[in-house]
Amino acid sequence: MIPEVFAGGNSVIHSIDPRIKVVSALVYSLVIALSNSFIILLSALAISVALVMAAQLDTREVLKRLTVLWGFILLIWMLVPLTYPGATLFRIGPLGFSSPGVFLAAQISLKSTAILLSLMALLATMSIAAMGHALGCLGIPDKLVHLLLITYRYVFVMEQEYQRLIRAMKIRGFKPGTNLHSYQSYAYLVGMLFVHASARADRVSKAMKCRGFTGRFHSLRQFEPDPRNRLFTVFMVFIIILLATVEVWIQTIHS
Amino acid sequence: MVFLIPELSKFFRIDMHISEGVLNAPVLISGAALAIAGTAIGLKQMDYDRVAHVGVLSAAFFVASLIHVNVGPSSAHLVLNGMLGLLLGWTAFPAILVALILQSIFFQFGGITTLGVNTILMALPAVICYYAFRKLIHRSPMLAMMGSFACGFVSVLLSALLLGLALVFTEKNFWSLSGLIVAANLPVMIIEGIITVFCVAFLKKVHPEMLNQEIS
């Protein structure tokens, strides 16, 4: 149920220092989210596709995630051009599609696809443990990093717990439907999940204290100096500055 | 338009996410700033002894929000932010933030630029419901039932309203879209209300200490 499909791999992107990937993913997607001109958005899309290819991700998995997004985008295309006021671009029967609406929907589609692809290439290609460590190095408060790591650790345990409970319900003949009984059963299931979580948290916390937990996780992974890191940083900085400057330049021309 | 509502709600229901690339800079930045403030308060109230507790509950919340329940021919995800608010108070902020980070890594729902806004959408209603209903759920059975229904209902309603607000602040022509989103989530609000009633009653019987914690 909970996959971590892109984390393993030995492409160039997988071997880059997680800290560099986190920062560049953040800045890169911010630049895309704030850009509006189509030239920039199209080039960002091309760069994101190139990043995904460089990371050698499983094409089918990538497409699977994109379909979820495109379902949302399809809705935007059905709603925004119809509800957005402005000059009508074309009509299908009684429905008029306004040109600023079509324009906006196209922008949203390009932006979100480009950002999603870059996230898959840059963020999903590291383990959460590596990411937690990277976030810690980048000045995110320790407590938040611990919370992230513990949550990650227990998501899988809680999922097994959930599977166990739902199996027990099914064995007892539970058939979900739209009725009060179903909702009650689900509510008890959720309640039980929380109760088990709380009991487990108590044990975990005691066990951690017994082992001398002082508020620090030590990562065994060392970030080794690698010339590819520097190369990748230069590449990303170049791309980001290029996109941002051209975007600002185009916007000043238009205004 | 009506035929779109079930489909529409399916996409906006996925834990009340806003997708990347929709919002403008002021909304993204104010969302991030508010989320940082809320998370800072939450972290301050969570000492190291409670990190494990909040983490495991946050994991349970993550898993529980993947549960589908049937709504007529369609189905809905549980949101459960009201419930989490009752259990965690302000600490719901870091718990939800972390759950959203994991979701964006595992499933690429939401993203990084929208992380702040999405945290606010989920966590602010959780905290509001905590203050509004934490006392009421310990009153007489009838009041407790109404209180917990309202907690589930209002938390989703507020999330949907905040989502609509974020869209309208981005683009004032998104009014009708925002209205549709709030309308589409009405069934989810009712289901969350019902689920919260049973869940609170269950916890009061099985593990009442979980609801009694005075966190702030």
Side-chain angles (χ1 to χ4, degrees), chain A residues 60-129:
Chain A
R60 204 192 296 157
E61 285 291 335
V62 172
L63 286 176
K64 216 163 85 187
R65 278 132 210 270
L66 282 179
T67 6
V68 177
L69 176 75
W70 285 340
F72 166 80
I73 287 177
L74 193 67
L75 276 168
I76 297 266
W77 275 99
M78 283 154 113
L79 289 169
V80 173
L82 292 176
T83 56
Y84 207 89
T88 311
L89 191 64
F90 59 91
R91 297 185 155 274
I92 300 176
L95 305 171
F97 289 78
S98 74
S99 66
V102 171
F103 200 68
L104 189 66
Q107 264 179 0
I108 291 176
S109 326
L110 284 174
K111 279 186 194 183
S112 48
T113 311
I115 294 179
L116 193 79
L117 285 171
S118 75
L119 289 187
M120 280 190 253
L122 296 176
L123 283 190
T125 49
M126 64 180 96
S127 67
I128 304 275

Side-chain angles (χ1 to χ4, degrees), chain A residues 88-205:
Chain A
T88 311
L89 191 64
F90 59 91
R91 297 185 155 274
I92 300 176
L95 305 171
F97 289 78
S98 74
S99 66
V102 171
F103 200 68
L104 189 66
Q107 264 179 0
I108 291 176
S109 326
L110 284 174
K111 279 186 194 183
S112 48
T113 311
I115 294 179
L116 193 79
L117 285 171
S118 75
L119 289 187
M120 280 190 253
L122 296 176
L123 283 190
T125 49
M126 64 180 96
S127 67
I128 304 275
M131 170 184 263
H133 190 50
L135 290 177
C137 293
L138 293 170
I140 302 293
D142 268 358
K143 263 193 234 174
L144 195 61
V145 174
H146 290 172
L147 190 63
L148 178 73
L149 292 175
I150 291 182
T151 307
Y152 167 66
R153 166 71 180 77
Y154 284 96
V155 154
F156 300 98
V157 178
M158 283 296 128
E159 197 220 335
Q160 281 173 9
E161 198 83 42
Y162 163 74
Q163 299 289 4
R164 200 170 61 80
L165 290 169
I166 199 87
R167 213 179 307 132
M169 282 163 75
K170 279 184 186 152
I171 287 169
R172 285 160 183 77
F174 173 70
K175 278 210 181 67
T178 309
N179 50 45
L180 211 56
H181 171 73
S182 297
Y183 294 153
Q184 184 180 21
S185 309
Y186 276 120
Y188 287 179
L189 169 67
V190 170
M192 207 61 208
L193 215 52
F194 282 136
V195 169
H196 284 173
S198 166
R200 188 178 285 274
D202 266 351
R203 294 200 300 276
V204 170
S205 159

